[in-house]
Amino acid sequence: MAKLKETRKARIGVYTMGLKHYWGQFPGLRERMIEYGQFISDRITAMGNAQVFFYGLVNCEQEGHKAGEYFNANNVDLIFAHAGTYVTSGSILPVHQDCKAHTVILNLQPTAKINYAQTTTGEWLAHCGACPVPEISNAFNRAGIKYRVINGLLGLDYTPEISLTDENTANRPEAIQAWKKIEEWVLAASVKSGLSGARFGFLGNTYSGMLDMYSDFTMFQGQTGAHLEVLEMCDLNRAMETVTPDEVAQKREEIAEFFRISEDSAADPLAKKPTEEQLEWSAKVAVAQEKLVKEYDLDALTYYYHGAPGGEYEKLQGGFIVGHSLLTAKGIPCAGEGDLKTCLAMKICDIVNKGGSFCEIVVTDYEEGTILLGHDGPFHLEIANGKPILRGMGLYHGKQGTGVSVEAKVKTGPITTLGCSQTIDGRLKFIITEAESTDGTIMTIGNTQTPVKFKKDPDSYMDEWFAEAPTHHFAMSVGHNASLFEKIADILDVNYVTLDK
């Protein structure tokens, strides 16, 4: 589905390092270093999710300060410091003292094996990018500068004319692995960029008594850079008053395209074929929900409201699930029960195009060795295993009102759950687990459910999980994304734990 709003691209700084004294001693070495740095910049640009700012060479203290100012002027989210050849750490330190962006040192050797018989000193220097990394690491550590290092091969698909060896390493596993890590760091930077200034709506309140749901809005903005817009049900009701019959008809067509309408076939008598009135109401509410998102320029939405029994707002919230599922698929993640932290986890998954569906524990299947994970909605349609089913609900368990709910499961294959909790000191904490979604049987009760097999048996996994004091909701993403989520936590300065390794 088309995104309602594009996420701001990451801004990536790149520079190559080398020693100024070498340029006069070894003709062509300077230009060779710039060529390698330009290759890195071009390849990151080709990923399509970042703006790249290539400074060029940093080869002395003065250039270090100029590079830091350049990166500050372009407000970069992440710096790749390419160790092209040896350089003094004193030349590099000013870059990162002036610009505080997260830093990843790239130790990418151009060749898998030098030509020992013919290699000159100048040729060797073109391949000794690892030489300065220990010195720089020491200087960074003592200066209090946070950094990470990627080791591997550069991955050129050609050999420069000046080279005395084969530099075509694009298909070598050491290059493939290094570039996988680089891409994950770029995606992590896109999360930092995407959250900075993002607008999270908070509609209504938090489900009463769910103490793990409650979080500090100031804490949230302080740690993510996202803005919280507190919304009232009357804001949504105002949008409802502007909905036209044509808009409802168009939304009905959209619903018919992305959902299957159930018959009276569910085991649960509470789950029936949706009535025409229920579908019409869900469509009208969905139109209003999209209007609200556009009016307040939202990037995500957390919501919950029960309303007075029989009141207008109770009826209004009864139509939430379908529209919020559609919004989630359009890049505006919607989390129920006022769970702001899980809304953040869903938004992170969405920014990196891994889905992010709202989940909790449903039930354990000890015979299959799986845990069913899901909720009564909303659901991320983009990662569904087939068309989700709409069922008319006689009631919403634990909540007031009736309406249409989504029954679906995430596509079969590798998945990663991303939980976001809050610790005693008020800091956010990510809880990450890779697992496998199976094509097991689910209940026909109008809820989303995905059978998931973890690396350990259900009880052993839950022993580890519960010991981390999680929030009882989390986001389910497609793919094995633990290393990516760890980098996101790192760049956001959020504590994390990866379970079931």
Side-chain angles (χ1 to χ4, degrees):
M1 300 179 74
K3 299 278 188 181
L4 282 183
K5 184 178 178 183
E6 290 300 320
T7 303
R8 186 169 75 93
K9 289 185 176 182
R11 300 169 70 86
I12 306 295
V14 179
Y15 72 90
T16 294
M17 59 185 78
L19 190 64
K20 188 175 182 179
H21 302 298
Y22 289 159
W23 312 146
Q25 295 176 327
F26 305 100
L29 182 60
R30 178 181 182 277
E31 291 73 22
R32 193 170 177 178
M33 292 298 103
I34 294 173
E35 182 178 350
Y36 291 152
Q38 190 65 60
F39 168 79
I40 292 169
S41 298
D42 291 345
R43 185 156 174 180
I44 294 172
T45 300
M47 293 175 186
N49 55 358
Q51 290 180 273
V52 180
F53 299 89
F54 179 44
Y55 178 77
L57 279 175
V58 172
N59 54 24
C60 62
E61 295 86 347
Q62 293 90 337
E63 287 296 329
H65 284 295
K66 290 178 183 177
E69 292 170 2
Y70 171 77
F71 293 139
N72 277 333
N74 288 289
N75 194 28
V76 299
D77 303 293
L78 175 69
I79 296 174
F80 285 119
H82 170 224
T85 185
Y86 177 75
V87 68
T88 59
S89 53
S91 300
I92 301 307
L93 195 60
V95 180
H96 307 278
Q97 288 178 312
D98 290 348
C99 180
K100 305 301 183 183
H102 201 95
T103 299
V104 178
I105 300 171
L106 301 181
N107 170 31
L108 303 177
Q109 187 168 291
T111 185
K113 183 178 181 178
I114 62 171
N115 184 339
Y116 291 104
Q118 298 181 12
T119 290
T120 63
T121 301
E123 176 75 3
W124 160 62
L125 289 174
H127 299 289
C128 77
C131 299
V133 176
E135 177 182 337
I136 294 168
S137 300
N138 180 276
F140 278 9
N141 179 265
R142 292 164 69 183
I145 293 171
K146 185 177 178 180
Y147 68 95
R148 296 291 182 264
V149 181
I150 295 175
N151 301 300
L153 288 174
L154 182 58
L156 290 178
D157 56 5
Y158 67 96
T159 296
E161 289 185 13
I162 194 175
S163 179
L164 297 178
T165 188
D166 180 10
E167 296 190 18
N168 189 336
T169 60
N171 295 321
R172 294 271 313 193
E174 300 90 345
I176 293 169
Q177 183 63 26
W179 276 98
K180 179 178 182 293
K181 293 176 181 178
I182 291 171
E183 185 172 13
E184 287 181 341
W185 276 114
V186 173
L187 286 170
S190 74
V191 170
K192 179 178 176 61
S193 175
L195 291 178
S196 179
R199 295 173 58 81
F200 279 64
F202 194 95
L203 174 62
N205 46 51
T206 304
Y207 194 109
S208 180
M210 285 187 180
L211 301 183
D212 59 329
M213 296 294 96
Y214 290 84
S215 54
D216 179 347
F217 287 1
T218 306
M219 171 277 301
F220 181 85
Q221 182 164 344
Q223 293 181 58
T224 66
H227 169 75
L228 260 296
E229 185 72 18
V230 178
L231 303 169
E232 301 288 350
M233 287 293 283
C234 54
D235 294 318
L236 181 59
N237 191 59
R238 175 166 42 81
M240 282 284 286
E241 293 172 351
T242 69
V243 175
T244 67
D246 284 347
E247 289 173 324
V248 175
Q250 291 174 11
K251 189 62 68 174
R252 286 289 298 266
E253 291 178 4
E254 187 179 358
I255 290 170
E257 181 180 357
F258 289 101
F259 296 97
R260 285 195 295 127
I261 309 301
S262 76
E263 299 295 330
D264 290 335
S265 55
D268 191 341
L270 293 174
K272 300 288 188 181
K273 179 179 181 179
T275 65
E276 180 62 24
E277 181 184 15
Q278 285 176 322
L279 289 171
E280 189 77 3
W281 182 249
S282 289
K284 184 175 182 179
V285 174
V287 174
Q289 289 166 324
E290 191 165 316
K291 285 175 178 279
L292 183 73
V293 164
K294 290 178 178 178
E295 178 184 352
Y296 287 93
D297 193 27
L298 300 181
D299 296 271
L301 178 65
T302 304
Y303 67 93
Y304 176 71
Y305 200 85
H306 56 263
E312 285 300 310
Y313 288 172
E314 181 195 63
K315 181 183 178 185
L316 184 54
Q317 65 85 29
F320 275 2
I321 292 176
V322 174
H324 283 154
S325 294
L326 290 170
L327 284 172
T328 299
K330 294 177 180 180
I332 312 295
C334 299
E337 297 177 355
D339 190 349
L340 179 61
K341 298 185 295 297
T342 298
C343 192
L344 170 63
M346 293 167 68
K347 185 62 181 177
I348 288 170
C349 294
D350 188 78
I351 289 173
V352 296
N353 295 313
K354 304 295 183 182
S357 208
F358 192 59
C359 287
E360 65 183 4
I361 294 177
V362 176
V363 71
T364 300
D365 186 329
Y366 284 98
E367 292 190 357
E368 296 294 329
T370 58
I371 304 176
L372 269 69
L373 306 174
H375 210 272
D376 61 3
F379 182 76
H380 200 305
L381 308 182
E382 291 293 308
I383 60 173
N385 187 8
K387 271 192 174 184
I389 300 169
L390 295 185
R391 297 195 188 276
M393 305 302 295
L395 59 82
Y396 293 127
H397 66 275
K399 304 178 177 73
Q400 293 180 186
T402 64
V404 179
S405 190
V406 177
E407 183 177 293
K409 57 184 173 183
V410 170
K411 61 183 65 173
T412 302
I415 61 98
T416 306
T417 61
L418 177 61
C420 184
S421 190
Q422 185 177 355
T423 58
I424 191 171
D425 60 0
R427 299 292 299 175
L428 295 173
K429 174 185 174 182
F430 291 166
I431 303 172
I432 304 162
T433 312
E434 292 182 343
E436 301 293 323
S437 163
T438 74
D439 197 22
T441 308
I442 64 174
M443 298 173 282
T444 57
I445 59 172
N447 285 14
T448 70
Q449 305 149 72
T450 302
V452 172
K453 186 178 285 290
F454 294 92
K455 295 176 184 177
K456 297 180 180 177
D457 65 90
D459 286 346
S460 297
Y461 174 68
M462 287 190 286
D463 283 344
E464 288 189 10
W465 188 10
F466 301 161
E468 296 298 332
T471 297
H472 79 273
H473 297 144
F474 50 89
M476 185 183 295
S477 66
V478 291
H480 283 162
N481 307 313
S483 63
L484 170 58
F485 291 157
E486 289 168 358
K487 291 177 177 65
I488 292 168
D490 198 357
I491 203 167
L492 294 178
D493 195 25
V494 171
N495 292 328
Y496 70 88
V497 60
T498 303
L499 301 180
D500 207 11
K501 288 187 175 181

